[in-house]
Amino acid sequence: MPIVLIAIAEWFGTALWFTPNAVIGDLQTAWDLAPADLGWLTGAVQIGFLAGTLGIGLSGLADRAPASRLFALSCLIGALSNALLPFAGGLWPAVGLRVMTGLSLAGIYPIGMKLMVGWAPGRAGLGLAWLVGMLVLGTAMPHLLAGIDWGGNWRMTLWFASLLALLAAAIVWRLGDAPPHGPNSPPPRSRLAGLAAFGIADFRRAASAYFGHMWELYTLWTLIPLLLVTANPELSPRALSLLAFALIAVGAPGCWLGGWLSQRLGSRRVATLGLAGSAVGCALYPWLAPHLGFVALVAYLAAWSLLAVIDSPQFSALSANACPAALVGSALTLQNAIGFAISAVSIGLLVPWLSALEATIAWWLLPGPLLGLVGLKRLGKPPGQGRPR
């Protein structure tokens, strides 16, 4: 039951992530925004998330404070900043609110991982697969909410997402933290606590694979609605919202499938499968997209989206397994900080070039999964030796 409750809370809490993307047409009309301003609104969340995860990871707060309380407080702050977005009145106040939302998400996603690892000892790959699957549903959720007929009131999309975050806070506050499963380890004393994990070879290797994965994933999710509109300019806003939701949300069952496979094949093999599959998706898209009908293109994007995220929880499982228990929260939070910094750079560099690069933008995502495969290749090998332990 705790695993289910944490997964649901993660779903509801991360519904705050892409709310402006789902109502960007209404925001453009209300605030006279340019199409490129979507990149600012998306990038602001990533920057806030980066700042928050760096602060939590380096200070050791993730391993000092009760994870359930930190998660619930973050949900409250995120719900408030998101609910105020319709009153921003313009781009730059909205960017400020989105940075605050990103800060709150730093206490939702990685702290949710710590909660899950605590409540699912020995089953980290499976538990984190459920958690990240719900994260995928959460990031897709605003597109589903935008597809609901609110009587023309687009603000309801944002406010309903805030309501879900409040429910997430209540769920985790009531659940609390997992009881200790062994001798208690003292929390890290260093103010740069998370950095200690990078002294562990297997953590570095798993983290480097995750960093390559993050170059691709969130940029792909940001591009999906834009690629759909490019392929079919006649799509209605509601159809676009529902399709974008489906193409991102398909990653949730992909994560759950990956969690099931990890119990049989191991997290490393599942992560390798995901990276290799998404590399193929990047490589073939520019060749195939111009020649596919719209239905076939949607099916292709669905398969690519699934493969791009099926490996995500397995990186966290590999990293958590490489760390002592007293460092898990800080290490995973700092790993997330760096990963989302990479995704912010990828989004900021690539999305504005979509009109010029067209389908070949996929080739600029390809270095991510390729570098990830390089990181996984040496996982489990002792320094200076060529055979796995």
Side-chain angles (χ1 to χ4, degrees):
M1 182 58 70
I3 291 177
V4 174
L5 292 175
I6 295 168
I8 291 173
E10 189 78 8
W11 173 18
F12 289 174
T14 54
L16 302 171
W17 212 306
F18 279 132
T19 47
N21 301 49
V23 294
I24 189 61
D26 298 288
L27 292 178
Q28 285 176 317
T29 301
W31 299 341
D32 192 27
L33 300 181
D37 291 336
L38 171 62
W40 283 104
L41 293 173
T42 304
V45 177
Q46 308 297 79
I47 290 169
F49 185 87
L50 167 63
T53 47
L54 280 175
I56 293 172
L58 293 176
S59 68
L61 182 62
D63 295 299
R64 295 173 186 271
S68 60
R69 283 11 185 187
L70 185 54
F71 184 103
L73 178 61
S74 299
C75 286
L76 291 175
I77 294 171
L80 177 62
S81 62
N82 185 70
L84 291 175
L85 192 61
F87 306 105
L91 175 63
W92 296 113
V95 165
L97 286 171
R98 294 307 289 166
V99 169
M100 186 180 297
T101 303
L103 287 167
S104 73
L105 286 163
I108 297 174
Y109 177 31
I111 301 305
M113 288 195 293
K114 184 189 177 185
L115 278 168
M116 186 64 81
V117 169
W119 280 104
R123 295 181 295 162
L126 182 61
L128 290 172
W130 276 97
L131 186 89
V132 177
M134 290 303 194
L135 164 71
V136 174
L137 284 182
T139 54
M141 195 69 179
H143 293 291
L144 177 62
L145 296 177
I148 297 173
D149 184 4
W150 300 108
N153 187 358
W154 56 270
R155 297 167 184 82
M156 290 298 297
T157 297
L158 304 178
W159 292 337
F160 198 89
S162 289
L163 176 61
L164 291 176
L166 293 177
L167 290 174
I171 290 170
V172 170
W173 184 276
R174 179 64 182 266
L175 175 65
D177 287 72
H181 299 285
N184 289 329
S185 301
R189 295 181 180 180
S190 170
R191 291 190 176 275
L192 302 178
L195 287 177
F198 283 89
I200 303 168
D202 273 355
F203 179 85
R204 289 198 307 272
R205 293 161 183 165
S208 67
Y210 171 76
F211 298 153
H213 153 85
M214 288 298 287
W215 173 263
E216 176 199 18
L217 180 62
Y218 275 84
T219 305
L220 173 61
W221 282 352
T222 303
L223 287 171
I224 276 176
L226 305 177
L227 295 174
L228 290 172
V229 168
T230 300
N232 186 355
E234 304 300 319
L235 274 179
S236 69
R238 185 179 184 187
L240 176 61
S241 294
L242 293 176
L243 268 178
F245 166 77
L247 291 178
I248 296 172
V250 72
C255 287
W256 302 332
L257 172 63
W260 178 79
L261 288 173
S262 73
Q263 301 301 294
R264 290 151 180 80
L265 304 178
S267 292
R268 177 183 175 179
R269 289 180 179 175
V270 175
T272 301
L273 172 67
L275 286 171
S278 57
V280 171
C282 294
L284 296 184
Y285 184 81
W287 297 103
L288 297 179
H291 308 291
L292 294 175
F294 186 68
V295 173
L297 180 68
V298 168
Y300 185 97
L301 289 173
W304 184 8
S305 179
L306 184 151
L307 288 167
V309 77
I310 190 175
D311 47 7
S312 193
Q314 305 312 318
F315 297 123
S316 298
L318 291 168
S319 296
N321 288 336
C323 288
L327 275 180
V328 166
S330 298
L332 291 181
T333 304
L334 186 57
Q335 176 177 292
N336 271 257
I338 299 171
F340 279 87
I342 291 169
S343 74
V345 171
S346 178
I347 289 169
L349 287 178
L350 298 183
V351 172
W353 285 94
L354 175 60
S355 59
L357 295 172
E358 298 180 335
T360 62
I361 197 169
W363 286 340
W364 292 89
L365 298 177
L366 181 58
L370 292 181
L371 290 173
L373 288 169
V374 172
L376 285 183
K377 185 176 181 181
R378 285 196 52 79
L379 189 68
K381 296 181 180 179
Q385 297 185 29
R387 294 182 180 178
R389 288 179 291 192

